[in-house]
Amino acid sequence: MSHSTPQAIGAVRAPLPNPALVREPLIRAEGVNKHFGVAHVLRDVTTRFFQSEVAVIIGASGSGKSTFLRTLNRLEAHDSGRIVVDGIELNDAVTNLDAIRREVGMVFQQFNLFPHLTVLDNVTLAPRRVRGVRREEADAAAMELLTRVGLEDHAHKHPFALSGGQQQRVAIARSLAMSPRVLLFDEPTSALDPEMIGEVLDVMKDLARSGMTMIVVTHEMSFAREVGDRIVFFDHGRILQEAPPDQFFEGQQNERIRAFLGQIVH
Amino acid sequence: MTSLVLAAWPDSWSREQRCSATMIAAGVVLVLFMWLLATPLAAMPEPVGPAAQQFAEGSRVTVELTLVSGLLGVLFGVLAAVGKLARFAPLRWAASFYIWAIRGTPLLVQMLFVFLALPMIAPGLALSDFNSAALALAFNVGAYNAEAIRAGILAVPKGQTEASRSLGLSPFQTFRDVVFPQSFKIALPPLVNNIVALLKDSSLAYVIGVVELSNVGNRVQAATFQPVPVFVATASIYLILTTVLTQISGAIEARLDVEQRQH
């Protein structure tokens, strides 16, 4: 999983990619700032994300990590700086936005499945509407994805009939149905009962092994350590440190991060 | 009343089947009722019996008025609700003005306005009495529908829009496929209230000369001087019609209730 493991470590410095595998970053953020009223929630955030990389964003609540993730598919608009996804700059031009959202999937903390549609229709809606795929083809592709997340037997149920973990797996399949180039995860296990976290993390690990580019905001340190190629630590709207997991978790020198890890890792 | 018909079907039937059966049955009852109404009425004693054809024709006009203005009214309601939530300020103002003006004036005045004043303002808009009544009723119920639908749209969680948009669906697709179906389910009970009220309000078409059920009732009592049996018969027909309406809407509501909260 560590074919694009970054070499450099340090505050606000983007890691160097392995030049043999990747040249252009898939997503580039440069000096991104964002305010909510008087609150300055993102401060000069600069980083890059590469093809097939699993980046794990951690940090205290309110540190700006979810907001940053949401700027990457423009669920939040940034105030200044540049965000370039797959060569397309995120700005107010709507055609850009639709093109980008087709390539950037998102999995939410609250699943956000469509309650009035069956599991199968949840997965096929976007391919049918956005890509114009015929229903039979979309259904067949969706069944494949549902099998991949272990829910093929639940295809004709409505979301309310599923457990939280099952709903989140459907949400992952729904995102995958658009064949995105990168998947954003916004605290995908934070709303789950403890016994259901494992099944969702297993699906995510499986995805990572298949080479999917993933940016994951999470509090699951074991996942970060095991699957992440790079840890991005947010603090008060800034990236305080970026490092490979072994360096980040083992030889951590930064007092602030040590204190954060001390509260979370047991 | 709602659950009575729904529960009358065999236990082995699914919720969807029961709801569909109820909708079909109520629809058939409505059609049969309209078609055959003259027959039982003709068997009734004076003064209703001899006027059976008039009563049947008046009921048909009442139902037509309700269906036409009800469908148009839902359309107006959706447009005004979307307008009121629009980002473009002039649309919001237009929708707010419409709702404010309609809800702040009597339906009777609106009906007279469409029939008598509108042709003065725009000679091309001289409508028949039925069309004037239908248009006035549609505008009227549309303003009330708008508030119900707007509340329904606002009740759909923001995460639904975010999920849909992040999948690449356009704002219009998001509204049509994700937000509207959910908001319609939420708005349905108040919408049904509005339609039932509309069926009764259609009696005001009487003042511009539409020969609907109330008008027939009044004409028959004026000719026979027997208001008690005439108005009992008139009110009974209204009661049957509103009951059929609530049965249909109850079935639609249950059909949309995929989470089965009502059981």
Side-chain angles (χ1 to χ4, degrees):
Chain A
M1 239 358 276
S2 48
H3 31 260
S4 63
T5 301
Q7 313 290 307
I9 324 148
V12 203
R13 270 193 60 196
L16 297 173
N18 181 340
L21 280 162
V22 273
R23 286 177 201 88
E24 272 298 294
L26 195 56
I27 298 179
R28 204 166 57 224
E30 286 166 9
V32 173
N33 280 279
K34 169 79 183 168
H35 298 77
F36 284 129
V38 291
H40 194 174
V41 289
L42 293 179
R43 300 164 186 258
D44 288 322
V45 176
T46 298
T47 189
R48 295 178 287 175
F49 299 97
F50 296 93
Q51 182 83 49
S52 292
E53 183 188 22
V54 177
V56 179
I57 302 178
I58 62 176
S61 343
S63 60
K65 54 193 195 306
S66 279
T67 305
F68 177 64
L69 194 75
R70 289 162 60 86
T71 60
L72 297 182
N73 68 347
R74 212 171 168 80
L75 283 181
E76 304 286 355
H78 52 287
D79 301 334
S80 64
R82 291 184 54 176
I83 297 175
V84 181
V85 179
D86 202 15
I88 307 173
E89 172 148 15
L90 290 191
N91 52 34
D92 290 329
V94 175
T95 46
N96 276 10
L97 193 56
D98 284 345
I100 280 163
R101 283 182 171 154
R102 289 195 287 269
E103 306 304 329
V104 182
M106 187 155 196
V107 175
F108 299 86
Q109 183 177 351
Q110 300 295 340
F111 330 134
N112 294 347
L113 292 181
F114 307 132
H116 60 301
L117 300 178
T118 62
V119 164
L120 189 65
D121 288 342
N122 262 277
V123 179
T124 60
L125 179 67
R128 278 168 40 215
R129 292 288 187 265
V130 180
R131 300 226 194 266
V133 179
R134 295 223 323 274
R135 183 183 274 278
E136 308 87 76
E137 287 171 50
D139 282 357
M143 285 311 294
E144 246 171 67
L145 287 169
L146 289 173
T147 307
R148 189 166 165 189
V149 299
L151 290 171
E152 66 277 19
D153 295 337
H154 301 273
H156 297 286
K157 294 182 181 169
H158 280 84
F160 77 94
L162 304 184
S163 72
Q166 290 171 327
Q167 291 193 44
Q168 193 60 296
R169 281 146 66 197
V170 173
I172 293 172
R174 179 175 70 174
S175 293
L176 289 175
M178 287 299 284
S179 314
R181 300 206 51 192
V182 50
L183 257 188
L184 312 177
F185 290 84
D186 189 5
E187 302 201 27
T189 57
S190 298
L192 296 176
D193 291 336
E195 73 270 22
M196 291 169 186
I197 292 174
E199 62 190 72
V200 172
L201 291 182
D202 285 345
V203 168
M204 290 169 64
K205 287 174 192 169
D206 198 48
L207 267 180
R209 272 193 291 274
S210 74
M212 172 60 79
T213 310
M214 295 162 63
I215 306 173
V216 185
V217 171
T218 188
H219 294 293
E220 291 295 322
M221 292 304 143
S222 60
F223 176 85
R225 203 189 288 255
E226 190 183 333
V227 186
D229 296 315
R230 177 166 48 123
I231 310 296
V232 180
F233 186 87
F234 266 76
D235 185 51
H236 291 103
R238 293 179 197 281
I239 294 180
L240 191 59
Q241 191 177 80
E242 294 182 73
D246 46 350
Q247 291 177 35
F248 185 88
F249 288 108
E250 307 311 329
Q252 187 52 257
Q253 299 299 312
N254 186 295
E255 268 313 306
R256 228 193 133 70
I257 300 177
R258 284 168 66 103
F260 174 81
L261 292 176
Q263 287 166 348
I264 285 196
V265 182
H266 300 289
Chain B
M1 280 306 283
T2 299
S3 54
L4 270 183
V5 175
L6 281 175
W9 307 103
D11 282 342
S12 58
W13 289 20
S14 71
R15 179 181 52 83
E16 283 86 354
Q17 285 170 323
R18 284 161 191 252
C19 297
S20 303
T22 305
M23 282 185 250
I24 293 167
V28 168
V29 166
L30 186 64
V31 169
L32 282 180
F33 180 77
M34 299 316 302
W35 194 19
L36 301 173
L37 182 58
T39 313
L41 281 177
M44 291 178 81
E46 290 262 334
V48 176
Q53 279 305 335
Q54 277 173 278
F55 274 106
E57 186 55 37
S59 306
R60 239 191 309 276
V61 172
T62 291
V63 169
E64 279 168 18
L65 210 48
T66 306
L67 288 181
V68 171
S69 54
L71 287 175
L72 264 180
V74 170
L75 181 69
F76 290 163
V78 172
L79 291 178
V82 171
K84 223 180 159 180
L85 295 169
R87 215 175 292 173
F88 185 56
L91 270 182
R92 280 204 307 277
W93 299 334
S96 300
F97 174 80
Y98 162 61
I99 295 168
W100 170 73
I102 293 288
R103 297 209 306 177
T105 54
L107 173 56
L108 187 55
V109 173
Q110 292 161 18
M111 206 168 278
L112 291 168
F113 188 91
V114 171
F115 187 58
L116 299 173
L118 212 52
M120 298 289 175
I121 301 167
L125 284 178
L127 303 173
S128 70
D129 50 5
F130 179 89
N131 288 348
S132 298
L135 194 64
L137 285 167
F139 269 115
N140 185 269
V141 76
Y144 291 91
N145 287 350
E147 290 295 288
I149 293 167
R150 189 178 72 101
I153 291 172
L154 291 177
V156 176
K158 196 163 158 259
Q160 292 290 308
T161 306
E162 290 185 351
S164 174
R165 299 286 283 127
S166 72
L167 284 165
L169 275 80
S170 69
F172 174 72
Q173 288 169 332
T174 297
F175 180 74
R176 185 190 60 191
D177 293 322
V178 176
V179 176
F180 185 71
Q182 297 183 53
S183 58
F184 192 75
K185 184 181 131 188
I186 299 167
L188 196 62
L191 281 180
V192 168
N193 272 342
N194 291 351
I195 303 280
V196 170
L198 173 70
L199 178 90
K200 297 179 288 176
D201 287 346
S202 70
S203 62
L204 284 174
Y206 163 50
V207 297
I208 58 174
V210 179
V211 189
E212 45 67 65
L213 184 55
S214 301
N215 198 341
V216 168
N218 200 35
R219 286 180 183 196
V220 173
Q221 75 81 26
T224 60
F225 303 105
Q226 288 184 283
V228 175
V230 167
F231 286 124
V232 167
T234 307
S236 302
I237 297 174
Y238 274 114
L239 259 177
I240 292 168
L241 290 174
T242 50
T243 305
V244 172
L245 252 183
T246 46
Q247 289 298 332
I248 294 175
S249 66
I252 296 173
E253 224 171 285
R255 181 76 176 76
L256 296 176
D257 181 34
V258 290
E259 296 171 35
Q260 307 195 343
R261 294 226 179 93
Q262 295 175 349
H263 290 275

